[in-house]
Amino acid sequence: MIKIKNLKKKFGKLEVLKNIDMNVKKGEIVAILGPSGSGKSTLLRCMNLLETPNDGEVIFEGKNILDKNCDINKARQNIGMVFQNFNLFPNMSVIDNITFAPIKGKKMDKEDAIKIGEQLLQRVGLIDKKYAYPSQLSGGQKQRIAIARSLAMQPDVMLFDEPTSALDPEMVKEVLDVMKELAKEGTTMVVVTHEIGFAKEVATKVVFMDGGYIVEEGTPTEVFDNTKEGRTKDFLSKVI
Ligand code: ADP
Ligand code: MG
């Protein structure tokens, strides 16, 4: 579904991604781990061109999205993204947050969009918050709405950038539970996370990054129980 080849990204003179190769297959759950500043968010943001790489290829569903002829807006509609800080529209109700992109971006009929929105609210357990505003929600509820909003576009892949890092501890589980459900349903997901338990239980592939490189990757058993690289061992010893 996503093939990244020789990807490089610099900010000024700072080389943040140095020759990244990565594949995400349909139905795969990829967990990306690594210390702060290692380039995890930048890599995720390059996957939907929120950042423009300096070199390399990002092939999404067979098309290089860096190609000038590629309709990036169309590709983006199929790539959902959930951020650490939710990024809900503060001036819109929950249902408007969820239906905005389908109606404006996909020209979906308003009634259909609301129906889909209601189904998604049921799925994330927040149908009673349909007319609430983001300021009236807890962090965990905001993040579940942000996930529902992303899913409303019916994307082929979901990208999550530390979706539970801004949450109070007691709210982490409700968000991870929604993500586990998505995983069970076969949603293709790339998740930057420090939740080792989640990565162990749910990921089909674990990628460890450090200093702009992928240092190690493999199944959860390979990376967590038979760690090869010193840098990975060092990181895991600090977070587990
Ligand atoms: P991570 O998500 O692993 O913590 P990031 O991808 O956010 O790492 O950042 C990697 C490096 O790139 C850091 O040194 C960060 O300061 C730098 N960086 C990220 N975004 C920008 C930007 N927009 N401008 C300049 N430097 C940036
Ligand atoms: Mg980050």
Side-chain angles (χ1 to χ4, degrees), residues 185-223:
E185 291 160 14
T187 313
T188 310
M189 293 160 60
V190 183
V191 187
V192 174
T193 186
H194 294 299
E195 296 290 335
I196 304 295
F198 175 83
K200 273 189 180 168
E201 188 186 334
V202 180
T204 54
K205 182 159 87 180
V206 177
V207 172
F208 174 72
M209 286 183 70
D210 195 12
Y213 291 103
I214 291 179
V215 172
E216 179 160 4
E217 65 176 276
T219 62
T221 309
E222 284 166 348
V223 175

Side-chain angles (χ1 to χ4, degrees), residues 16-161:
V16 173
L17 298 178
K18 303 166 185 162
N19 235 343
I20 299 281
D21 286 295
M22 191 171 140
N23 288 322
V24 182
K25 293 187 198 128
K26 192 172 188 304
E28 233 179 0
I29 320 289
V30 180
I32 303 179
L33 316 180
S36 179
S38 56
K40 306 179 299 296
S41 295
T42 306
L43 174 59
L44 210 61
R45 293 165 65 82
C46 282
M47 290 184 196
N48 62 1
L49 294 198
L50 284 178
E51 300 290 356
T52 311
N54 295 89
D55 202 4
E57 291 178 21
V58 179
I59 297 166
F60 176 64
E61 298 182 327
K63 287 194 191 113
N64 185 3
I65 59 172
L66 297 175
D67 196 33
K68 286 190 180 64
N69 300 320
C70 176
D71 181 353
I72 179 61
N73 289 322
K74 190 130 191 268
R76 266 202 202 117
Q77 288 190 353
N78 285 316
I79 306 174
M81 180 132 181
V82 173
F83 303 88
Q84 185 174 346
N85 292 311
F86 330 122
N87 291 6
L88 293 174
F89 308 122
N91 57 332
M92 286 187 199
S93 68
V94 160
I95 191 70
D96 287 345
N97 261 279
I98 294 173
T99 57
F100 181 78
I103 293 169
K104 296 284 175 203
K106 275 196 164 171
K107 308 284 174 228
M108 196 185 279
D109 202 62
K110 191 170 177 192
E111 257 131 64
D112 294 339
I114 290 174
K115 241 182 235 149
I116 291 172
E118 286 169 348
Q119 283 164 8
L120 288 166
L121 285 172
Q122 297 278 8
R123 246 167 96 184
V124 301
L126 289 171
I127 189 68
D128 58 322
K129 300 293 182 190
K130 185 176 166 189
Y131 297 113
Y133 280 79
S135 61
Q136 298 166 314
L137 304 174
S138 72
Q141 290 171 336
K142 280 184 206 168
Q143 196 58 300
R144 285 187 283 155
I145 297 298
I147 293 171
R149 181 179 63 173
S150 250
L151 291 172
M153 291 298 275
Q154 298 167 304
D156 294 335
V157 58
M158 287 283 286
L159 311 178
F160 293 86
D161 193 0

Side-chain angles (χ1 to χ4, degrees), residues 164-176:
T164 59
S165 295
L167 300 177
D168 290 332
E170 73 271 23
M171 292 170 190
V172 169
K173 185 176 178 295
E174 65 193 60
V175 171
L176 292 181

